[in-house]
Amino acid sequence: MYDFAIRFEQDETGVAVFCRDLPELNSFGDDVEHAIREAMDAIDTTLSLYVDQRRAIPSASEPQEGEHVVQLPAVTVAKIALWNAMVERNMRKADLCRLLDVHQAQGDRLVDFLHTSKMEALENALAALGKRLLVSPASYTRYEVFYIHCGELKTLQANYNDNTDAWSLLLAGLKLKLPKDLESPSPEQVCRNSGISHALLRAS
């Protein structure tokens, strides 16, 4: 529900990050790995902006081709659920503190995305508002491959139950044809023969 999809735009200075569901988000990294790390912090900062402006946080839409899905920590998802429940009831932080009988600082931290909170405290706050947070583990590993094809940064997403490598995922996911001039080529050779120069695998 809150696995936001981000997209990358690469130029000679690095990789910029944007999010359709959170248009206020704007981040940058030296490379893809750095951009993903920076995007996590940027999402927390953007969610804090929604709280400051007393706006409901939107749900994530379906990812589009070439986008990277960011899976938020369970604590962050719980904070989103709590904040949206407060907005739905037109509650302020002070109202939450009175409801939970806690000090202002304690109540504020429950919807502060730049401050960590205990899951038990968030569950208690949600219960006080008649909400429950259900967490179910995924039965598969989601892989994402970042690759450069003809100078353009792209991504490929796939779900696999076992470990694999970036080149094999690209070979299967892009349905690349085997070159006739290579005998028993490796997945990497097939990819490079198709104009793919770099490949990076991440399990998300």
Side-chain angles (χ1 to χ4, degrees):
M1 188 174 185
Y2 297 110
D3 290 344
F4 295 107
I6 58 177
R7 64 180 174 86
F8 304 104
E9 290 187 7
Q10 186 179 36
D11 59 23
E12 63 278 0
T13 62
V15 180
V17 181
F18 304 95
C19 178
R20 289 180 292 104
D21 297 315
L22 303 173
E24 298 85 357
L25 186 147
N26 193 347
S27 186
F28 192 85
D30 297 330
D31 52 33
V32 171
E33 284 284 344
H34 185 216
I36 292 174
R37 293 196 301 269
E38 291 296 309
M40 294 294 293
D41 291 337
I43 288 175
D44 287 337
T45 300
T46 303
L47 297 180
S48 297
L49 180 63
Y50 278 77
V51 173
D52 291 342
Q53 297 177 350
R54 293 191 48 77
R55 296 161 55 199
I57 295 169
S59 299
S61 58
E62 287 294 318
Q64 297 180 357
E65 183 179 357
E67 291 184 328
H68 168 79
V69 177
V70 177
Q71 293 183 313
L72 299 179
V75 167
T76 302
V77 174
K79 285 176 179 279
I80 294 175
L82 177 59
W83 174 249
N84 281 347
M86 291 173 60
V87 172
E88 182 181 316
R89 291 164 175 74
N90 197 28
M91 290 180 63
R92 296 183 176 273
K93 295 177 184 178
D95 300 324
L96 180 66
C97 293
R98 284 192 291 271
L99 177 65
L100 301 177
D101 192 23
V102 297
H103 295 298
Q104 187 70 45
Q106 290 177 277
D108 288 351
R109 284 196 293 268
L110 291 174
V111 288
D112 183 352
F113 291 94
L114 303 180
H115 185 283
T116 187
S117 299
K118 292 183 179 180
M119 182 59 78
E120 181 181 1
L122 290 165
E123 289 176 340
N124 290 338
L126 284 166
L129 295 179
K131 301 287 185 178
R132 290 181 59 197
L133 185 67
L134 300 178
V135 180
S136 58
S139 59
Y140 58 83
T141 300
R142 175 166 31 196
Y143 287 97
E144 287 186 290
V145 184
F146 299 89
Y147 63 100
I148 296 179
H149 181 241
C150 299
E152 183 180 353
L153 176 65
K154 298 183 178 182
T155 62
L156 173 72
Q157 298 184 7
N159 298 329
Y160 277 74
N161 291 318
D162 55 358
N163 291 326
T164 186
D165 63 272
W167 301 108
S168 297
L169 276 176
L170 286 175
L171 178 62
L174 300 179
K175 297 180 173 59
L176 300 177
K177 295 182 179 179
L178 298 178
K180 296 180 180 179
D181 57 336
L182 294 177
E183 184 178 350
S184 301
S186 67
E188 181 177 352
Q189 287 176 311
V190 176
C191 291
R192 290 189 181 279
N193 189 75
S194 301
I196 298 173
S197 57
H198 295 81
L200 172 67
L201 176 66
R202 281 178 57 91
S204 57

